[in-house]
């Protein structure tokens, strides 16, 4: 996966949402919508925690680079 370099702005639609699979979204819809910017903003800390610990998604844990990209997006103020 191509990742924006340091200093490049990270956007939800462009960079974050594509990291979630349809299966992830459907599995988690009862709790939040991973394809929805506002929902991911609201639950961002819990989501990144679950990903970082490897608890979620339980069938295919994210590589550290993907978790780091999500964290950089959070640190940048979670822009759309
Ligand atoms: C606050 C963060 C999260 C919590 C507390 C959480 C919790 C859970 C729970 C309790 C289940 C089981 C549901 C059931 O058995 O019906 C589940 C399933 C699942 N979750 Fe999450 N989840 C979180 C974030 C995520 C994220 C960020 C992803 C993907 C990027 C994800 C992907 C999945 C998938 C794919 C399943 C179905 C089981 C499987 O992995 O095959 N979840 N989640």
């Amino acid at each position: 996966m191509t990742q924006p370099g340091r200093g490049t702005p990270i956007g939800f639609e462009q960079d974050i949402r594509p990291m979630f699979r349809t299966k992830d979204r459907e599995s988690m819809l009862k709790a939040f919508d991973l394809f929805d910017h506002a929902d991911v903003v609201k639950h961002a800390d819990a989501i990144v925690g679950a990903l970082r610990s490897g608890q979620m998604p339980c069938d295919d844990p994210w590589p550290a680079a993907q978790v780091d990209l999500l964290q950089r997006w959070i640190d940048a103020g979670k822009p759309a």
Side-chain angles (χ1 to χ4, degrees), residues 7-78:
T8 310
I10 304 164
F12 180 76
E13 295 299 333
Q14 195 181 319
D15 306 299
I16 303 303
R17 200 175 75 147
M19 295 199 291
F20 298 122
R21 303 165 301 175
T22 299
K23 176 184 178 178
D24 297 327
R25 174 180 190 246
E26 286 172 357
S27 302
M28 295 312 303
L29 263 181
K30 264 185 263 172
F32 40 72
D33 185 348
L34 287 168
F35 284 4
D36 182 67
H37 177 238
D39 252 19
V40 176
V41 165
K42 199 165 144 197
H43 299 279
D45 291 338
I47 289 169
V48 81
L51 290 163
R52 191 181 299 285
S53 69
Q55 270 179 294
M56 285 284 143
C58 53
D59 61 333
D60 192 12
W62 278 20
Q66 267 181 234
V67 180
D68 288 349
L69 186 63
L70 182 66
Q71 186 65 58
R72 280 167 59 202
W73 174 75
I74 292 169
D75 295 346
K78 310 170 192 165

